[in-house]
Amino acid sequence: MAQEKPSLETLLSTSEGKSFLFLGREGIFTKDEIARFLKKNGISMTKYLEEGVAAVIEHSSLNPVEEDISNDVYDAKIPSFSLEAFEKLISEGINDDELLMGIKLSNDQERIFRLLGNDNISEELFVKLLMMYEWHDEEEDDRNDRDTIMFTLRRYIDIKPNEADLLYSYLTLRRLATEATNPKLLLALIGFQNFEFIIRGKEKVTLRETVARNEHLDKEVIGKLVSLRELKVDVALACNGSVKLSLLENLLAKNSEKINEALSTNKNINDEIFNTLLGKEDKVIQLLLWSQSINRERLALVDSHSLDAKLFATIGANECLESDVIDELITRDNEELIYHLAGNNILSVAQLESIYAKGLDLSFQYLAVNPASSVAMLEMLYEKYDEPAVRIALAHNKSTPEAILRKLFERDEFEIHKSMASNASVPLDILDILKVDTRLQNELSKNEIFVKEYETVLDYDKKAVQF
């Protein structure tokens, strides 16, 4: 019966006065670091097969001479282990405090870099080392900088084997800054070079402002971001729902239009900030009226500012209006407000019927496109108002009954087909016809059913290629 191979841990604890044979190059740890680790157990290092060798540690790549020695080791029945297994064992035995103290005293950047590439160290140690890493000039494309980014992404982002190229994409770094939940990691990311990411082909967003939008900021991270004194970072903080009211008030005091616009979209502002923003620029007010929860008290604040009727009307599109506020707004003598309300899908059937009862012709097309409208109302609008705008609106509405959608399609009008192309409720046989029309590609790209079908085909193709 073959003798069971002892574990590496067992050999370390029972091989005092003996040696470990190392074949191949070093990896994460240098010879000196390995020697110090072994010395704690009274074990020495050797490169030769000699008397007293208790174990062999092999790199995955060996030269011909080392291959011969490895064969002799096998014949001698000396326990052999991979370098990765040995490095994992060293990593598990690291005293974080001692290691960090030694690095701080020496500022050994080469050692920091090697340890960052060690998947076996704890997240806490990794983040502390990441904050100690010294980045090169932003204009310099440094190999170590790129590898450090890769080490970070590999640790935190789930990358499939066929997606390894994502580890080299700075856009994946933006994804990490967006998804990270560890405030210490976010603090470390602030220390990275402030990369710029191009979003949707034109808008530039920096790494630091991406961090500032993350909802898992703690006091230390926020303090660091504020100390940067960067407008883009302040704007990002101003719209962050996790930022405390006291900081939002400080940002308001900067009296910056960009910051005020961001504050207008932040659901955590109080009534005082809300009221102050009502006295700012029209764009700030419009964002405020669109974005904020509006109750009776806030509606009274809005009324007290005597806003332009057209500007005030945009409040009707707000999806955070309380029901009693909606009832009040429906009674207002402001046609544009009624049109905005008619298209707002948070209204109840009864409220939409109240709008219809006003008899405003232009409101019918908004009621026709509103998925909250009852089937009875949509059928009535189709039968009673044979107008282009109403037909186009019904073609787009996902709540429009199938029978009406089919009748609309049969009219063979391009504008109706265009509106119908983005409607996920369109029958599949009609969708199959529409997707042949190259003029409708933009609208079809917004259709959930079409996109899902397209992604399924792509996924099938990927699997086919793999086989």
Side-chain angles (χ1 to χ4, degrees):
M1 183 176 177
Q3 188 175 356
E4 186 177 346
K5 176 182 173 180
S7 69
L8 188 52
E9 292 90 339
T10 299
L11 288 169
L12 277 169
S13 63
T14 60
S15 300
E16 185 175 358
K18 297 182 179 181
S19 63
F20 277 16
L21 167 59
F22 285 80
L23 297 176
R25 340 184 272 279
E26 302 83 28
I28 295 169
F29 299 100
T30 64
K31 288 180 181 177
D32 288 343
E33 290 166 347
I34 293 172
R36 285 197 297 271
F37 172 76
L38 293 174
K39 188 176 181 180
K40 295 177 182 177
N41 294 280
I43 301 170
S44 60
M45 291 179 68
T46 182
K47 296 286 285 184
Y48 306 101
L49 183 54
E50 56 193 16
E51 190 74 24
V53 171
V56 180
I57 310 299
E58 294 190 23
H59 192 281
S60 57
S61 177
L62 302 179
N63 62 37
V65 173
E66 291 165 339
E67 287 281 4
D68 289 340
I69 297 175
S70 178
N71 292 331
D72 292 340
V73 165
Y74 179 80
D75 292 339
K77 294 183 172 53
I78 299 174
S80 177
F81 302 89
S82 69
L83 179 63
E84 289 79 6
F86 182 74
E87 288 177 337
K88 186 174 187 295
L89 193 63
I90 296 181
S91 301
E92 291 171 349
I94 288 176
N95 182 309
D96 291 5
D97 292 335
E98 287 182 10
L99 173 69
L100 292 169
M101 181 60 69
I103 290 176
K104 284 179 182 178
L105 292 173
S106 63
N107 191 27
D108 189 343
Q109 287 294 309
E110 189 271 336
R111 190 180 186 192
I112 292 173
F113 175 74
R114 282 189 288 105
L115 286 166
L116 287 172
N118 185 349
D119 295 333
N120 299 309
I121 63 175
S122 67
E123 179 184 7
E124 183 179 2
L125 177 58
F126 177 84
V127 171
K128 288 179 179 177
L129 290 167
L130 195 57
M131 286 192 279
M132 296 170 70
Y133 179 77
E134 294 179 357
W135 295 86
H136 296 79
D137 188 276
E138 291 192 17
E139 301 300 320
E140 183 181 349
D141 185 21
D142 184 80
R143 171 71 181 272
N144 282 8
D145 287 352
R146 281 187 278 116
D147 284 350
T148 298
I149 293 171
M150 186 189 69
F151 297 152
T152 306
L153 296 178
R154 188 174 64 197
R155 177 174 281 265
Y156 290 99
I157 300 292
D158 185 19
I159 300 292
K160 297 177 182 177
N162 63 340
E163 297 175 335
D165 57 319
L166 293 178
L167 292 173
Y168 300 91
S169 170
Y170 291 151
L171 282 176
T172 312
L173 185 60
R174 177 177 177 268
R175 174 182 163 189
L176 175 60
T178 301
E179 298 177 356
T181 58
N182 181 350
K184 295 299 182 185
L185 173 59
L186 292 171
L187 187 63
L189 290 177
I190 297 172
F192 278 44
Q193 295 166 343
N194 195 25
F195 299 104
E196 282 191 339
F197 313 105
I198 299 177
I199 310 301
R200 291 185 293 276
K202 55 180 181 179
E203 180 186 352
K204 287 185 178 180
V205 179
T206 68
L207 177 61
R208 289 173 184 169
E209 65 179 299
T210 303
V211 171
R213 292 178 189 276
N214 189 297
E215 294 189 351
H216 295 90
L217 309 181
D218 64 8
K219 186 176 180 181
E220 186 178 12
V221 180
I222 290 174
K224 179 64 176 178
L225 289 167
V226 171
S227 71
L228 297 174
R229 300 182 182 278
E230 294 179 9
L231 177 60
K232 283 189 171 185
V233 171
D234 288 344
V235 169
L237 287 171
C239 65
N240 189 328
S242 67
V243 171
K244 289 187 177 180
L245 188 61
S246 57
L247 177 55
L248 298 181
E249 290 170 339
N250 290 338
L251 292 169
L252 178 66
K254 290 179 179 288
N255 200 28
S256 160
E257 184 173 356
K258 290 293 183 183
I259 292 176
N260 290 341
E261 289 173 9
L263 287 169
S264 294
T265 66
N266 192 324
K267 296 295 179 63
N268 279 357
I269 64 171
N270 59 14
D271 288 349
E272 287 73 24
I273 294 178
F274 181 89
N275 191 40
T276 301
L277 291 172
L278 283 169
K280 302 298 182 180
E281 299 82 2
D282 283 359
K283 187 174 180 181
V284 174
I285 298 170
Q286 189 173 66
L287 288 170
L288 196 71
L289 297 180
W290 276 345
S291 308
Q292 293 298 318
S293 297
I294 307 290
N295 54 22
R296 285 277 188 175
E297 290 72 21
R298 284 193 168 181
L299 180 60
L301 290 175
V302 175
D303 287 335
S304 70
H305 283 264
S306 302
L307 301 177
D308 172 79
K310 191 171 184 177
L311 178 59
F312 175 80
T314 60
I315 198 175
N318 188 327
E319 296 184 355
C320 300
L321 300 172
E322 292 193 357
S323 185
D324 58 343
V325 170
I326 293 173
D327 292 335
E328 163 64 22
L329 292 175
I330 290 174
T331 67
R332 300 286 178 99
D333 185 20
N334 183 329
E335 290 191 10
E336 287 203 34
L337 169 63
I338 300 304
Y339 302 150
H340 283 296
L341 287 168
N344 192 331
N345 60 20
I346 68 165
L347 270 67
S348 67
V349 169
Q351 289 167 334
L352 292 172
E353 288 174 348
S354 295
I355 290 176
Y356 175 74
K358 285 179 170 288
L360 299 173
D361 289 350
L362 280 177
S363 71
F364 301 153
Q365 66 192 65
Y366 295 98
L367 291 168
V369 81
N370 192 334
S373 292
S374 66
V375 170
M377 178 176 287
L378 296 176
E379 291 174 337
M380 180 271 296
L381 289 169
Y382 174 75
E383 296 294 340
K384 194 172 180 179
Y385 301 97
D386 189 19
E387 298 175 1
V390 173
R391 294 196 298 268
I392 291 169
L394 287 168
H396 182 74
N397 192 338
K398 64 182 181 181
S399 297
T400 299
E402 181 179 328
I404 294 178
L405 289 174
R406 290 189 178 278
K407 290 177 182 178
L408 288 168
F409 177 74
E410 288 169 2
R411 296 179 72 102
D412 198 24
E413 296 176 11
F414 176 71
E415 289 302 322
I416 287 179
H417 289 183
K418 185 177 179 181
S419 184
M420 194 174 284
S422 58
N423 187 343
S425 295
V426 169
L428 292 179
D429 59 313
I430 292 179
L431 185 61
D432 285 339
I433 298 172
L434 293 175
K435 66 186 183 184
V436 176
D437 192 336
T438 57
R439 297 172 297 173
L440 303 177
Q441 293 306 305
N442 186 50
E443 287 72 27
L444 286 166
S445 68
K446 302 170 187 174
N447 189 314
E448 295 173 13
I449 299 300
F450 176 78
V451 171
K452 187 175 181 180
E453 180 183 289
Y454 184 69
E455 288 176 344
T456 301
V457 171
L458 283 181
D459 187 53
Y460 176 82
D461 288 344
K462 284 180 182 177
K463 289 177 181 176
V465 169
Q466 287 172 0
F467 285 111

